[in-house]
Amino acid sequence: MTGAALLAQAARRSLSAGAHRPRVVVWLPPAPRSRFPQLLGAATLPEQVIAIPVDPPDLPSVVEAASGGGVDVVFHLHWTSWALGRSEGSPAERSLVAALDVIDALGDRNLIWTVHNALPHECREVELESRLRRTLVERAAVIHIMNPATPEVVAPWYALDPSKTIVSPHPVPPVTGIGREEAARFLELDPGVQWVAHIGQIRPYKGLDLLLEALDLLDPRIGLIVAGEPGTDANSQQQATTAALHPRVHARLSFQTDDQLEAAMAAARVVALPYRQVLNSGVLELAKAVGRPAVLPDLPHVRAMAQDAGAAFYQPGDPPALAEAITSVMSRAATVTPAGPADHSALAAAVSRLWLTE
């Protein structure tokens, strides 16, 4: 479907939803395995505003269609890994030029940038990626961060503009409130085992291999739920295979629905998040919503992200310290008070103001 057709379809949906003038948020890049953009839109946009995904190479045609008037459009950039990918050297430089051309195509139109990571997890050209992000800082009308410590974390590579920056937490799907016993039955878990949960896509930076080492140091009555789809890289696939073969692991190595993720977390006593690198964590926010304590690496920005979640911290990269932290949490209260709905009003207000500047 062409950019003009996509925009026209979204405009009709906006009018059908009751808008006096059609309003559309165009977000990129598409993320078929992540519900983040949809969850954020549900938390910050009125139902009359329609959000649509667009591939970066198709953005110029959408901008051209929007130039015809009649539709108010705001653009929202999420991940930047599409720009450079895993390229290096001259190919990466050419990719950067192409990415900057995509951003330039927006002209003076309003742009929101959500900072998901300090740098992409597989970033191979740090300086080129930093240049891209410095351009985004200049170009964006609103910079959305989810961790209040983000400005300090990203400072070695680029500086965020505080006048544009809005703190709004990582969105999570609504929870059902399923109890531990019901969740264990739903997942067909051994009721005699005390479970630790590790959920979400399996990627090297998430540290499942460290957790498997720690598992071998824990009381044999403790088991591990691994629920999530492995990444396509060899490291992720190997970690998933190792988990599946471990006798104390209940492995669910495929895409998990919201209900399945909540059940895996609710069935556990503790959620283990042994990140090697992290800026934001939807899994941690879900743990807060479900009411399960988390174990996290002891880093200042991770503590800022955890806040009052009953979390325990350990020396990063140290499986024995991770095992000790899990044991400590297991020995105290089984749950924490579930967090109430997150407050996204600041970001919603910032987006609303953008329509006034169109």
Side-chain angles (χ1 to χ4, degrees):
M1 188 178 293
T2 66
L6 278 171
L7 202 59
Q9 183 184 72
R12 289 193 295 271
R13 290 172 56 199
S14 178
L15 291 173
S16 297
H20 297 295
R21 177 180 171 85
R23 289 180 171 176
V24 177
V25 171
V26 174
W27 59 268
L28 65 153
R33 307 309 268 180
S34 172
R35 287 195 60 209
F36 180 97
Q38 293 90 339
L39 292 171
L40 188 66
T44 58
L45 301 175
E47 63 179 11
Q48 296 89 350
V49 177
I50 304 302
I52 59 172
V54 170
D55 279 310
D58 297 331
L59 187 62
S61 67
V62 176
V63 173
E64 182 180 0
S67 300
V71 183
D72 294 335
V73 182
V74 166
F75 295 87
H76 192 156
L77 176 63
H78 288 277
W79 303 272
T80 63
S81 53
W82 57 270
L84 301 181
R86 299 185 180 182
S87 60
E88 300 177 85
S90 296
E93 292 177 359
R94 291 192 292 271
S95 296
L96 175 63
V97 171
L100 294 176
D101 286 344
V102 169
I103 296 169
D104 287 343
L106 296 176
D108 61 354
R109 292 184 176 275
N110 283 321
L111 173 66
I112 306 166
W113 175 34
T114 291
V115 184
H116 286 267
N117 305 294
L119 294 171
H121 294 296
E122 290 84 20
C123 183
R124 298 184 179 183
E125 290 284 355
V126 171
E127 179 51 35
L128 296 181
E129 179 69 30
S130 299
R131 282 173 54 191
L132 172 62
R133 289 176 176 237
R134 288 192 290 269
T135 299
L136 289 172
V137 170
E138 295 174 1
R139 182 64 190 78
V142 173
I143 300 171
H144 168 217
I145 63 175
M146 294 168 274
N147 184 334
T150 296
E152 291 77 23
V153 176
V154 306
W157 304 287
Y158 51 96
L160 299 181
D161 183 341
S163 69
K164 301 178 178 181
T165 302
I166 301 292
V167 182
S168 188
H170 196 299
V172 295
V175 297
T176 65
I178 188 172
R180 178 176 288 113
E181 292 183 1
E182 183 182 355
R185 287 194 298 271
F186 175 73
L187 298 176
E188 299 181 336
L189 299 175
D190 183 341
V193 174
Q194 297 294 306
W195 293 100
V196 176
H198 181 80
I199 73 170
Q201 189 180 44
I202 297 170
R203 300 277 297 281
Y205 74 91
K206 293 187 176 182
L208 174 59
D209 55 333
L210 300 175
L211 181 55
L212 291 171
E213 287 189 51
L215 178 62
D216 290 333
L217 303 174
L218 293 171
D219 186 304
R221 292 169 295 182
I222 295 175
L224 174 64
I225 304 167
V226 178
E229 186 175 33
T232 57
D233 61 284
N235 192 324
S236 299
Q237 291 288 319
Q238 180 58 54
Q239 290 190 34
T241 299
T242 302
L245 294 174
H246 196 292
R248 288 161 57 196
V249 171
H250 177 86
R252 304 174 64 85
L253 304 178
S254 60
F255 179 79
Q256 301 291 294
T257 65
D258 292 343
D259 287 347
Q260 289 170 328
L261 290 175
E262 182 185 350
M265 190 168 282
R269 291 281 303 277
V270 60
V271 179
L273 304 174
Y275 292 108
R276 285 186 166 88
Q277 61 185 82
V278 65
L279 179 61
N280 307 291
S281 174
V283 177
L284 175 60
E285 297 304 317
L286 184 59
K288 294 177 186 179
V290 174
R292 294 295 181 269
V295 172
L296 295 154
D298 194 359
L299 298 167
H301 66 279
V302 174
R303 284 185 175 268
M305 176 174 65
Q307 297 179 342
D308 298 325
F313 301 92
Y314 70 95
Q315 179 64 31
D318 185 345
L322 173 58
E324 184 178 348
I326 292 172
T327 300
S328 174
V329 175
M330 287 281 198
S331 69
R332 62 182 197 234
T335 62
V336 295
T337 301
D343 182 4
H344 298 279
S345 59
L347 182 60
V351 175
S352 294
R353 287 193 293 271
L354 293 182
W355 302 116
L356 305 178
T357 64
E358 280 290 309

